[in-house]
Amino acid sequence: MSTAKPASTPVVELRGAVVELPGGHRALDRVDLEIRAGEIHALMGQNGAGKSTVVRALAGVWPLTAGTMCLDGAPVHVRSPKASRAAGIATVFQDAQLLPHLTVAENVMLGREPRGRWGIDWGATRRHAHELLTELGLEDLDVGQRLARLPVATRQLVAIARAMVDEPRVVLLDEPTAGLQQVDVDRLFAVLRRMRDKGVAIVFISHFLEQVFAISDRITVLRDGAKAGEIAVGDLDRVELISMMLGADLPTLQQLASQRAQHSEVVEGVPLLRAEGIGRANAVRPTDLALHGGEIVGLAGLRGSGRTELARLLTGHDRADQGRLFLSGAALRLRGPRQGMLHGLVLSSERRNDGGIIRGLSVRDNLILSLQALRGWNRPIPTKEREGIITWALRAFGLGEHVLRRPVDELSGGEQQKVALARLFVTRPRVLVLDEPTRGCDIPAKVDIQRLIATLAGEGGTILVISSELDELVRLADRIVVLKDRGKIGEISNGPGVSVDTLVELIAASD
Ligand SMILES: Nc1ncnc2c1ncn2[C@@H]1O[C@H](COP(=O)(O)OP(=O)(O)O)[C@@H](O)[C@H]1O
Ligand SMILES: [Mg+2]
């Protein structure tokens, strides 16, 4: 890790950079960023924070709608990928721009092949490619090998070598380690360090916190499209960094004490749902998890840490490719969400429109639909039972009778979320997995939903809650499982000593 203080003018600089998408959404909001020669600069932030947008802006894919980009201190207009390349910026997009049926040498040199009298000089092409790979420490790659025969990780390295052909001054890498094994990550990092030591400025994005700490010299943290802070890795305070990613209101959150004071009773007996080493390539590392009847378990972690992915494995929305599930001690194999539902394992997705509610249909129809689907369409629910269910749902969720006939999309965000949850509650699930159940809700709706979750558990329901608002987990959960970098890193039973701080420290702690 280089600790030298940067003194030079940045190679590339953003000042007050704004990227406004069609529709007016600001994917980037007045961001300042300085990219220096010989530094690996990591962009961090939760999903949707704007990291890829920075890369797209620098790459000329999404030009700035306001603000300035400077090259060696002078303003430049980068309005196309071509202009970005002309400015000495190379972007490594995953795999996409490589041609699998060509050789390594051809891919590296594509469009830049040395020419002789008779056209492309293939000997020189291979030699050049080999030299370039050697400079990156990849001399063992066989330049005559067809790309299609090489593993993905090696192709990734070829893509980087290809980016180096034009001798760029800045190289942008958006999640180059996604899907790579540790040995491949090490190899990639060795290449990046070599490039850095040659004076190339590197912009690097990864979801894996530990990778960012290992490779980068400087970190810019983004949140909701804006810059939340910048840290030199030498002075890294992990807790501060995670707090920056999570949001500025953390100090307030930290004031909140656990409201569930008496919660550390030991859970015993056969868990209702137990996962043993369950995982899925590139999504969740093998994870153990047990949910006992009547328990509320929280799933904490940054967005992108694998929480949603784990929730999907537990409910049959994605197929696990390793590990096993047990329901009341009996092995269970889930082949799809419907099968999960038939076993009483139900997921409420973080995106309401993603199966949570059906737009255009009335609240009444939405409330009944899940239950009807579960029973089968040829077995109508008797009127009396149906009305009973609707009355219960309205009362439980504090929804007025007047909403029943209205299309659900006309309701407020909080009301829509209540309908989405009520739909699932009426099916009386054995295990309810709630992904961000209160996101986008106002405070009263949040409180209502939290109260309902607690009530459901009080009646014996078992609930797994994912929330980006750590105080919500501290308030609700009996136990909190912490995920980081797509795997479980810890588990704590909630109680008087547990606070938002405890969770932040767990996430920030080094492996
Ligand atoms: N193709 C797209 N169309 C519309 N909005 C997008 C698109 N890609 C990203 N966004 C929005 O832009 C914002 C920034 O996203 P992005 O830069 O991709 O985040 P990150 O890479 O940090 O996860 C988010 O609000 C996201 O929803
Ligand atoms: Mg991204």
Side-chain angles (χ1 to χ4, degrees), residues 21 25-28 45-54 56 62 174-175 205 207 222 225:
L21 302 178
H25 176 63
R26 279 199 171 187
L28 220 57
Q46 305 198 62
N47 285 345
K51 307 178 297 289
S52 294
T53 305
V54 169
R56 291 185 198 111
W62 285 2
D174 193 350
E175 303 213 34
I205 299 175
H207 259 311
L222 297 168

Side-chain angles (χ1 to χ4, degrees), residues 167-408:
E167 302 189 354
R169 301 174 63 202
V170 181
V171 175
L172 313 175
L173 299 133
D174 193 350
E175 303 213 34
T177 60
L180 296 194
Q181 307 283 325
Q182 190 55 45
V183 284
D184 298 320
V185 172
D186 293 342
R187 187 130 203 247
L188 175 79
F189 282 3
V191 169
L192 296 188
R193 290 194 181 100
R194 266 178 117 109
M195 287 159 62
R196 173 189 64 193
D197 296 343
K198 286 178 196 303
V200 178
I202 295 170
V203 176
F204 170 80
I205 299 175
S206 166
H207 259 311
F208 300 103
L209 302 181
E210 296 306 325
Q211 290 184 357
V212 173
F213 300 148
I215 187 81
S216 45
D217 301 301
R218 186 173 297 279
I219 297 172
T220 291
V221 181
L222 297 168
R223 194 174 62 243
D224 297 335
K227 180 168 169 175
E230 186 180 328
I231 300 180
V233 168
D235 325 323
L236 181 69
D237 176 337
R238 285 163 173 258
V239 171
E240 190 191 336
L241 177 76
I242 305 299
S243 307
M244 256 185 215
M245 293 172 70
L246 282 167
D249 47 347
L250 196 73
T252 353
L253 298 187
Q254 286 165 348
Q255 310 292 321
L256 289 164
S258 167
Q259 295 186 2
R260 298 194 99 196
Q262 309 299 328
H263 264 251
S264 24
E265 69 260 34
V266 184
V267 272
E268 283 173 346
V270 178
L272 180 56
L273 182 68
R274 186 164 73 81
E276 191 184 275
I278 197 159
R280 182 177 164 92
N282 299 332
V284 185
R285 288 187 273 142
T287 299
D288 294 339
L289 187 77
L291 304 177
H292 293 263
E295 232 188 348
I296 302 178
V297 175
L299 214 47
L302 298 168
R303 267 186 255 159
S305 59
R307 302 168 310 172
T308 296
E309 290 79 359
L310 179 58
R312 293 178 62 86
L313 294 186
L314 295 174
T315 49
H317 285 254
D318 285 325
R319 197 89 68 93
D321 54 21
Q322 52 192 320
R324 298 196 295 172
L325 280 180
F326 299 90
L327 191 61
S328 302
L332 175 70
R333 198 171 269 286
L334 293 179
R335 286 189 196 80
R338 181 169 162 75
Q339 219 190 3
M341 206 160 196
L342 288 172
H343 281 105
L345 309 175
V346 171
L347 172 69
S348 148
S349 162
E350 63 187 315
R351 272 168 291 167
R352 274 196 286 280
N353 295 337
D354 185 6
I357 51 171
I358 298 170
R359 310 198 145 260
L361 283 189
S362 68
V363 170
R364 164 187 289 275
D365 291 339
N366 264 288
L367 284 175
I368 291 301
L369 224 58
S370 301
L371 190 60
Q372 186 67 69
L374 192 65
R375 294 214 182 171
W377 298 105
N378 50 2
R379 286 183 50 219
I381 304 166
T383 315
K384 200 168 157 205
E385 191 183 339
R386 199 173 58 213
E387 294 315 308
I389 288 166
I390 288 171
T391 311
W392 172 85
L394 289 183
R395 184 143 21 93
F397 282 84
L399 291 163
E401 188 106 24
H402 63 278
V403 305
L404 271 185
R405 295 196 179 283
R406 288 173 56 197
V408 71

